[in-house]
Amino acid sequence: SQKIEQNSEALNIQEGKTATLTCNYTNYSPAYLQWYRQDPGRGPVFLLLIRENEKEKRKERLKVTFDTTLKQSLFHITASQPADSATYLCALAGANNLFFGTGTRLTVIP
Amino acid sequence: DAGITQSPRHKVTETGTPVTLRCHQTENHRYMYWYRQDPGHGLRLIHYSYGVKDTDKGEVSDGYSVSRSKTEDFLLTLESATSSQTSVYFCATRQGREVNTGELFFGEGSRLTVL
C-alpha cells in the first residue's frame, strides 16, 4: 500500500525566513498532489494542487515542487510570518480518495 | 466557506452505545466523505458517497456505516461504539468529478470520546 511521509512532526523557523516542508511517498505514482493547511481545532483548508507534469506551482508566498522521480514534493513558504503557524498536510490522489500524510506542524517565531 | 456543518461537535459516550454523526452541506456538492484523524495516522477515509444513496467503503470502514438520503446530508453511524473509535471525525465535500483535481472542503470536525 502507499506510504506518505512528511519530513518531521514539527518545524520551528524565524520570522522572515523560508520554511521548507517535505512530503515523500512510496509504492505509488500519483498524477496529482495537494497541500492543505490545518489550524488547531479546525478542518483542513486547501492550499495548492500540482500535477505530475508540473515541476513547480506558485501562489503568493507559497511554492510547491513535485519530483516524480524522487517521489517527493517540497512546500515552501517564503517570508514566513507568525500567522503561517499551522499544520500542513500533503495528500496524494488515489482512485476515489485522497491519501493524507500525518502533517508537519510549523511554528514561525517572531 | 463551503457551508459544511457537523453535529455534534463534541460527544462523550460509553462503549457499546450507538452514535450518529451528521454532516450537512449547503453547496450542492455531489461527493461527500467521512474521515477520522488520529495522532500518527493522519486523515483516513472511512466511507464516501458519490450521490444520493450511493456510498462506498474507505480504508477504515469496519464498525461504521453511512447513509445519504439527501444531497445535503451524510450520516456516519457507529452501531456499537468502541474505545478504538475515539477520534476526531471530519466530513468533507467535493464538487468536481475528478478526485485528482478537486479540492476537498472540510467541516470543523466532531470530537468523539468513547469511554
Side-chain angles (χ1 to χ4, degrees):
Chain A
S1 62
Q2 67 287 329
K3 185 177 180 181
I4 305 165
E5 290 184 346
Q6 295 192 239
N7 58 325
S8 59
E9 282 192 21
L11 178 66
N12 296 332
I13 65 166
Q14 210 66 35
E15 181 176 5
K17 301 294 186 182
T18 296
T20 298
L21 284 64
T22 303
C23 178
N24 295 296
Y25 59 93
T26 59
N27 299 332
Y28 196 59
S29 297
Y32 303 87
L33 186 147
Q34 299 185 14
W35 282 89
Y36 288 77
R37 168 182 173 143
Q38 186 174 23
D39 292 289
R42 310 293 298 273
V45 175
F46 173 82
L47 295 174
L48 281 168
L49 176 148
I50 186 166
R51 295 171 173 78
E52 63 177 344
N53 61 351
E54 297 175 320
K55 296 298 183 184
E56 182 179 296
K57 199 81 167 280
R58 291 176 184 262
K59 179 183 178 182
E60 299 173 351
R61 294 185 294 110
L62 307 180
K63 184 179 83 172
V64 173
T65 62
F66 192 11
D67 189 325
T68 56
T69 300
L70 291 178
K71 293 185 179 296
Q72 181 181 81
S73 175
L74 298 179
F75 179 82
H76 306 273
I77 305 175
T78 58
S80 59
Q81 305 166 0
D84 295 326
S85 297
T87 297
Y88 292 86
L89 310 172
C90 69
L92 279 60
N96 295 301
N97 183 21
L98 277 178
F99 296 100
F100 286 85
T102 54
T104 295
R105 186 173 66 252
L106 174 68
T107 301
V108 180
I109 303 166
Chain B
D1 290 347
I4 302 168
T5 305
Q6 292 186 228
S7 60
R9 294 290 315 278
H10 301 271
K11 185 173 182 65
V12 179
T13 191
E14 293 186 351
T15 298
T17 59
V19 175
T20 296
L21 305 180
R22 179 181 184 240
C23 178
H24 178 79
Q25 58 134 335
T26 59
E27 299 298 312
N28 201 35
H29 287 176
R30 178 181 174 186
Y31 297 86
M32 298 187 74
Y33 304 80
W34 277 107
Y35 285 88
R36 60 178 289 176
Q37 188 173 38
D38 304 287
H41 288 280
L43 285 157
R44 291 180 292 172
L45 182 66
I46 305 170
H47 282 280
Y48 66 97
S49 170
Y50 46 95
V52 173
K53 297 188 179 177
D54 291 324
T55 65
D56 206 346
K57 296 178 180 180
E59 56 183 313
V60 289
S61 59
D62 288 348
Y64 302 95
S65 62
V66 291
S67 66
R68 191 168 178 201
S69 59
K70 298 185 291 185
T71 298
E72 57 266 34
D73 290 325
F74 192 31
L75 303 181
L76 176 71
T77 297
L78 291 64
E79 300 291 346
S80 177
T82 66
S83 58
S84 64
Q85 294 176 311
T86 292
S87 186
V88 180
Y89 291 86
F90 285 98
C91 174
T93 70
R94 177 172 62 81
Q95 181 178 22
R97 290 183 179 181
E98 293 294 332
V99 66
N100 289 330
T101 59
E103 65 178 279
L104 293 183
F105 297 90
F106 284 86
E108 295 298 302
S110 295
R111 181 175 294 277
L112 175 67
T113 301
V114 183
L115 302 176

